[in-house]
Amino acid sequence: MYVDAWDPSYGSSFEGGDGEGPASPSSAQVDTDVEVPAAEWAPVGAPVGARPPDVVFLVDGVRRNDAGLWTAEEDGTSYPGLAASYAAGVVRCDLARGVAELVGARVGRGLFTASPTAGDLQAGTVRYEIHRINGSGEASKLPAAVQGPLTALEIEISSAARDGGSDGADLLIVDGPLRNRRQLPRTIGYVKTQQKQYLPAALTTVVTALRPGQRTPVFHLGTVWGGWSWYLRLPGATGAPWSGIVRVECSPELSVDQAVELAGLSSATLPRFASASYKDPRAPQNLVPIAGLERRLRGMLGDARVLHRALTLATARSR
């Protein structure tokens, strides 16, 4: 038996979506005969002579629910609302010079509701822009609506950061699935929490046999947001079968050769950013630049208690 390296407050590095264990299968169609036939699957090391690009960008976003709200409509009906803050940032790692710096960060705040009459909400010096939700806007669905504006913010600052100092030979690492960021060039999605098992049992043994820095062959996921994908083990794992395993993905619009090239580049790049357990409760998957970026962004969101009080006063004045 093994103890999961992650702090229990963050869950587990490999979770089933509904409390199911690691054996919980995905219903997605998977093509495993992409890079090599499935019968020839084996751990793949970084290409000989491969090295990370001189510049690596890492982008991440954070969000926080500041207050739940209710509207009072003229016809007597009411709609739930959510006041949320979110922020996105980019860290530029110049590996040639050994320098990492924050090159872009922005904060957004929104009022998410299906109310047809609600508008922007001014809470002290902070403005929550209205984001009208389609449908009945159940309160349970409002937190998920924050992801759209947050993703748009990540795309905007990622493009700006590259325009400000990239020579086209960089790599952009997105913390989480790519989803609608697939159009960004030389970009990989980095999924550190494994919620579903995509591979058949016979190929899962290849994943658990990976050594640090090794990856599986590239496979294709036939989901709505699917694309080319592969598993990689980071250094610093505890030795448990899925310890230190991450899933990496790239755009389905790339050719197989381009996807394999990015897979090899990820094997040479991601291990050097792996975190240590004495520094991070989600080591080694929570990459060091990402952890620092998350701390900076959460600080930029402001004091939750002050914002909650400002929202309370603002809604009281509106009544």
Side-chain angles (χ1 to χ4, degrees):
M1 299 183 69
Y2 297 87
V3 175
D4 195 289
W6 283 25
D7 184 318
S9 62
Y10 290 99
S12 172
S13 57
F14 192 102
E15 298 178 343
D18 300 309
E20 301 166 319
S24 174
S26 168
S27 59
Q29 293 184 345
V30 181
D31 181 4
T32 56
D33 296 318
V34 174
E35 184 176 353
V36 296
E40 299 176 12
W41 264 45
V44 181
V48 177
R51 67 180 189 87
D54 289 340
V55 176
V56 178
F57 293 96
L58 297 99
V59 60
D60 193 17
V62 299
R63 59 186 184 180
R64 185 185 65 207
N65 299 338
D66 292 335
L69 307 168
W70 288 90
T71 70
E73 308 294 327
E74 292 184 358
D75 61 2
T77 60
S78 182
Y79 291 88
L82 174 66
S85 297
Y86 51 93
V90 180
V91 175
R92 182 182 187 273
C93 296
D94 188 328
L95 302 184
R97 296 190 298 126
V99 176
E101 58 182 338
L102 182 68
V103 292
R106 282 186 54 192
V107 175
R109 307 189 196 274
L111 172 59
F112 299 83
T113 181
S115 167
T117 62
D120 292 356
L121 177 60
Q122 187 72 33
T125 60
V126 174
R127 176 176 291 273
Y128 290 82
E129 296 182 359
I130 185 67
H131 290 269
R132 215 170 306 281
I133 307 304
N134 295 327
S136 57
E138 297 94 329
S140 61
K141 296 182 179 180
L142 295 179
V146 184
Q147 186 60 46
L150 175 56
T151 299
L153 194 58
E154 291 179 356
I155 294 174
E156 182 179 338
I157 62 173
S158 298
S159 300
R162 277 179 150 173
D163 291 341
S166 170
D167 59 2
D170 56 35
L171 177 67
L172 175 64
I173 301 172
V174 173
D175 189 57
L178 283 180
R179 293 194 173 95
N180 53 358
R181 293 166 288 199
R182 298 180 296 179
Q183 77 278 14
L184 298 173
R186 291 180 63 79
T187 299
I188 57 175
Y190 177 83
V191 184
K192 56 178 173 280
T193 301
Q194 311 308 315
Q195 297 182 338
K196 288 292 183 180
Q197 176 56 265
Y198 292 105
L199 299 176
L203 298 184
T204 298
T205 59
V206 178
V207 180
T208 56
L210 294 176
R211 294 181 178 274
Q214 290 184 329
R215 65 172 179 88
T216 66
V218 174
F219 56 95
H220 186 270
L221 288 177
T223 60
V224 174
W225 295 110
W228 308 115
S229 189
W230 58 94
Y231 288 101
L232 170 72
R233 191 186 295 274
L234 298 175
T238 63
W242 284 87
S243 177
I245 295 292
V246 297
R247 186 174 64 82
V248 191
E249 60 183 33
C250 63
S251 172
E253 298 176 3
L254 300 177
S255 67
V256 175
D257 289 342
Q258 289 173 321
V260 171
E261 180 184 356
L262 276 178
L265 192 61
S266 73
S267 298
T269 305
L270 291 174
R272 71 175 300 153
F273 293 121
S275 53
S277 59
Y278 69 91
K279 289 184 177 181
D280 195 299
R282 289 176 288 173
Q285 288 98 319
N286 202 37
L287 303 180
V288 172
I290 291 294
L293 177 59
E294 287 176 341
R295 288 192 295 270
R296 177 72 68 88
L297 293 177
R298 289 194 179 99
M300 293 176 61
L301 294 182
D303 192 306
R305 297 167 298 178
V306 174
L307 287 169
H308 191 278
R309 183 172 183 271
L311 286 163
T312 301
L313 291 174
T315 53
R317 283 195 297 268
S318 70
R319 293 194 300 272

